[in-house]
Amino acid sequence: MSRSQPARSLAVLAATAFAAAAAPLLAAGTASATPDGGCQSATVQYRLVDKDGKPVGADWTSQGGFHQWDTVPGTVEVRLAPGQTVGDGCTYPVSLAEYTTEGPNWYTSGHQTLVDKATVYLTAKDVAGQDDSGRTWQKLAVKSPDCYGQIDLYGDDVTYDGKTGEGHGPAPYQPGNVVTPYHLIAAWNGGEKPCTPATPDSPTPSQPAPSTPSTPATPTAPAHSTPPAGHSTPPASPKLSTTPPTTPDVPPMHSAPPSPSPSGSKPPLAETGASAPVGLIAGAAGLVLLLGAGTVYVTSRARRS
């Protein structure tokens, strides 16, 4: 009994050291599960206000869809809906964009051209409470269209103007089923006149020179029977039976882009991270090996005795 006691003690010590070595590895794996700090989607509320800040129509709402305006929407106030928890450091971009269109509603909007855009960034400070009397909210305002137009409220800061490059996206185009902006919260359409002349300017007719009667010339095809090169009509696409989908739930903005790996071709090792205690883990592993060898040695001596 007394000879086996050292072996048992060493075995217990070895198991304790192994558990201590494994703990940092488990903790490192858990820490990498929420790279964005745990930010989740959040619900946005909005309302229209006049120049004096008084609500126009319905008060705070998250109702989406496309709305036909009687008068052009002015300023839009936005906030995060009450009853939700937003972590510190979580940011939610919300944008308002104004486009000129070819018609007064989505189905006749055709080509859309961006005219103006504004963006605000909502945080935990913008979550509504139980008593918000006298509280101010972030505001969005764009130029008022004086012809057919569409105004979009959406949950990111991308500029949907049809340009390429970072921060830009495809412009809305109903005939081609390009249903941007993404993360659309609500939209308004309206207007009473086209944004461009209905017919192009006609050239000044020239005075015909007097001539003697002659044989009529052979009729030719109309000059505009064939579309000019480079200006062909977009191919016909199935039209949406409804307007584009809307949602008040918007994603968070990433606080920082991921750091590139040194080679630039492989993703960084997120499982352990740069701050993982590699030296401590290696030392503990070495201690486990030494204790294990000692245990084997003492046990074998005890058996021989």
Side-chain angles (χ1 to χ4, degrees):
M1 293 292 291
S2 61
R3 291 178 180 178
S4 62
Q5 188 64 32
R8 293 177 181 176
S9 300
L10 286 173
V12 172
L13 185 59
T16 303
F18 179 79
L25 283 171
L26 295 175
T30 303
S32 64
T34 54
D36 293 332
C39 298
Q40 305 294 327
S41 295
T43 302
V44 173
Q45 290 184 326
Y46 67 90
R47 68 178 179 182
L48 307 181
V49 297
D50 59 20
K51 61 180 180 180
D52 297 324
K54 296 180 180 179
V56 177
D59 206 352
W60 292 106
T61 181
S62 292
Q63 182 181 1
F66 279 61
H67 309 276
Q68 204 71 22
W69 73 58
D70 297 325
T71 58
V72 178
T75 301
V76 179
E77 289 186 334
V78 291
R79 70 181 188 183
L80 296 178
Q84 55 187 332
T85 301
V86 175
D88 293 336
C90 297
T91 303
Y92 301 88
V94 178
S95 298
L96 190 70
E98 188 254 309
Y99 297 84
T100 57
T101 63
E102 297 179 357
N105 56 54
W106 166 252
Y107 302 104
T108 60
S109 59
H111 289 277
Q112 297 197 28
T113 303
L114 180 67
V115 175
D116 195 14
K117 170 180 172 282
T119 301
V120 296
Y121 298 86
L122 304 180
T123 65
K125 297 179 180 179
D126 298 293
V127 178
Q130 294 183 351
D131 183 15
D132 292 321
S133 57
R135 188 174 176 182
T136 58
W137 306 99
Q138 298 204 53
K139 298 176 174 59
L140 292 161
V142 292
K143 296 178 181 177
S144 298
D146 56 359
C147 54
Y148 294 145
Q150 179 170 310
I151 295 178
D152 294 326
L153 179 68
Y154 58 96
D156 60 55
D157 56 359
V158 176
T159 302
Y160 295 96
D161 54 1
K163 298 180 181 179
T164 58
E166 185 177 358
H168 295 272
Y173 180 53
Q174 188 273 341
N177 288 340
V178 181
V179 288
T180 55
Y182 305 128
H183 313 123
L184 185 64
I185 300 171
W188 294 265
N189 298 96
E192 298 179 353
K193 62 179 181 179
C195 298
T196 56
T199 56
D201 296 334
S202 301
T204 304
S206 57
Q207 296 295 329
S211 60
T212 56
S214 59
T215 304
T218 303
T220 58
H224 299 287
S225 59
T226 302
H231 295 279
S232 58
T233 303
S237 301
K239 292 186 177 180
L240 294 175
S241 58
T242 60
T243 54
T246 58
T247 175
D249 299 326
V250 302
M253 184 178 70
H254 295 294
S255 57
S259 302
S261 60
S263 64
S265 59
K266 297 180 180 180
L269 298 177
E271 291 79 3
T272 57
S275 60
V278 178
L280 177 61
I281 295 172
L287 178 61
V288 170
L289 292 176
L290 291 175
L291 290 175
T295 302
V296 172
Y297 174 75
V298 172
T299 302
S300 62
R301 287 289 302 273
R303 289 177 179 175
R304 290 174 184 174
S305 301

